[in-house]
Amino acid sequence: MSMSSMFSRPRLVVKKVLARAQNEGDGAIVRRSIGRPELQNLDPFLMLDEFNVSPPAGFPDHPHRGFETVTYMLQGAFTHQDFAGHKGTIRTGDVQWMTAGRGIVHSEMPAGPGSHMGLQLWINLSSKDKMTEPRYQELLHGNIPKAERDGVSVTILAGESMGVKSQIFTRTPTMYLDFTLKSASEHHQPIPESWNAFVYIVEGEGAFGSPDSTPTPAHHCLVLGSGEGLSVWNKSSKPLRFVLIGGQPINEPVVQYGPFVMNTKTEVMQAYQDYQLGKNGFERSRHWYSK
């Protein structure tokens, strides 16, 4: 096992946040990392929740404007339906990349009994894209590109790793990689230098940034400093699974009121009013309820 990073300027961990469990939606439990007081946002990312939901809990009808939501199922299945008549179920390993744009009202509920787990990431949109038409990109697990070498396997939801590219179109340039490292393996992942990036550990523990850093266990979010890329070592006897997420900062003001994220307070109040009155993208919400 080589004990040094292959980068002359590796990205080191500059902040470590434990995602504690909290209640959200209707009886759902989420572990929020980005979006909690000590890590309000990490441009362009607004929120990361690891959710764990058993029926009858879930996320009933609610609106969004001004950003994208990315839902990645780790276990079980979720059914979503929206006011435009779009309905579908994503299962273990599937991803839904939803650009809410000017407005979506939808519900996200567990499909069947038992425990349903996944990650939901909120990615901001630049002012020029906030009022875009809503769109969905859904990929089944079998259609998401994967790569493997030297005890490291990666699922490429967005961006590129080991020379393999995702086909997801990201309005805000983004990488989203799901890594599993076997015991005694390591990986060195380049990240565009101007991007912000973080790691969220799903299971196991790993040394991130430098080989002698204290291994960090599951449910931690690690914000990475500047540099050329991330080096990670799994020195434990169990597999390590984590997601590496990075994106190009938008560098615009972020004003958030619940599910509306705009650039000014006026725009956020407008979004709230549009939703209440059913206009400017929320017309269909007036007479729609999920079934």
Side-chain angles (χ1 to χ4, degrees):
M1 188 191 292
S2 89
M3 288 319 275
S4 64
S5 172
M6 39 172 278
F7 303 112
S8 57
R9 289 184 307 105
R11 285 179 176 250
L12 302 177
V13 175
V14 293
K15 189 165 194 173
K16 179 166 140 178
V17 175
L18 172 63
R20 298 176 194 280
Q22 64 186 66
N23 291 313
E24 195 63 36
D26 184 4
I29 304 287
V30 305
R31 287 177 173 271
R32 181 159 299 167
S33 48
I34 296 175
R36 45 186 314 114
E38 59 268 45
L39 187 56
Q40 208 64 62
N41 50 46
L42 182 68
D43 191 7
F45 306 107
L46 302 163
M47 193 188 84
L48 179 69
D49 279 353
E50 177 187 357
F51 59 85
N52 190 335
V53 182
S54 304
F59 304 98
D61 305 2
H62 59 279
H64 294 288
R65 173 182 281 176
F67 58 100
E68 301 186 297
T69 70
V70 181
T71 309
Y72 182 38
M73 292 305 296
L74 301 176
Q75 176 191 308
F78 249 61
T79 297
H80 56 269
Q81 39 182 313
D82 77 12
F83 68 174
H86 183 276
K87 185 177 178 179
T89 299
I90 51 171
R91 302 178 189 283
T92 305
D94 299 349
V95 65
Q96 181 202 67
W97 203 287
M98 182 184 88
T99 305
R102 59 198 300 238
I104 279 276
V105 180
H106 71 160
S107 65
E108 301 158 289
M109 301 297 282
S115 209
H116 304 261
M117 291 163 61
L119 298 173
Q120 187 170 88
L121 175 70
W122 289 13
I123 308 175
N124 203 6
L125 289 168
S126 66
S127 50
K128 67 178 193 316
D129 289 330
K130 281 189 180 293
M131 295 297 280
T132 190
E133 284 300 313
R135 80 175 271 199
Y136 290 90
Q137 299 172 86
E138 282 164 354
L139 286 180
L140 301 176
H141 177 69
N143 299 334
I144 303 174
K146 295 166 192 68
E148 195 169 347
R149 67 167 182 239
D150 303 331
V152 179
S153 57
V154 60
T155 302
I156 302 138
L157 283 76
E160 182 177 348
S161 185
M162 300 187 192
V164 180
K165 277 194 174 91
S166 156
Q167 66 267 51
I168 287 257
F169 168 72
T170 61
R171 256 177 209 284
T172 301
T174 308
M175 67 193 301
Y176 192 146
L177 306 171
D178 175 9
F179 284 103
T180 299
L181 272 67
K182 290 183 176 152
S183 176
S185 63
E186 62 182 82
H187 184 67
H188 306 276
Q189 174 63 44
I191 301 167
E193 294 223 18
S194 61
W195 290 17
N196 285 327
F198 69 95
V199 160
Y200 186 75
I201 301 159
V202 176
E203 61 184 307
E205 57 172 43
F208 292 86
S210 72
D212 50 6
S213 65
T214 309
T216 308
H219 312 303
H220 279 86
C221 176
L222 305 176
V223 179
L224 304 176
S226 59
E228 301 158 313
L230 170 69
S231 293
V232 54
W233 294 263
N234 180 5
K235 302 181 189 176
S236 76
S237 56
K238 297 190 172 82
L240 161 68
R241 185 179 185 188
F242 67 93
V243 293
L244 169 61
I245 296 173
Q248 191 176 310
I250 294 169
N251 296 319
E252 291 178 355
V254 174
V255 181
Q256 180 171 355
Y257 179 72
F260 309 118
V261 183
M262 304 300 286
N263 298 112
T264 67
K265 205 168 172 181
T266 309
E267 290 168 345
V268 161
M269 293 320 292
Q270 183 67 51
Y272 182 71
Q273 204 173 1
D274 287 347
Y275 174 58
Q276 294 295 338
L277 300 174
K279 54 187 226 210
N280 295 327
F282 287 112
E283 286 79 1
R284 289 177 287 212
S285 66
R286 284 186 226 168
H287 307 293
W288 180 83
Y289 302 94
S290 61
K291 293 179 179 58

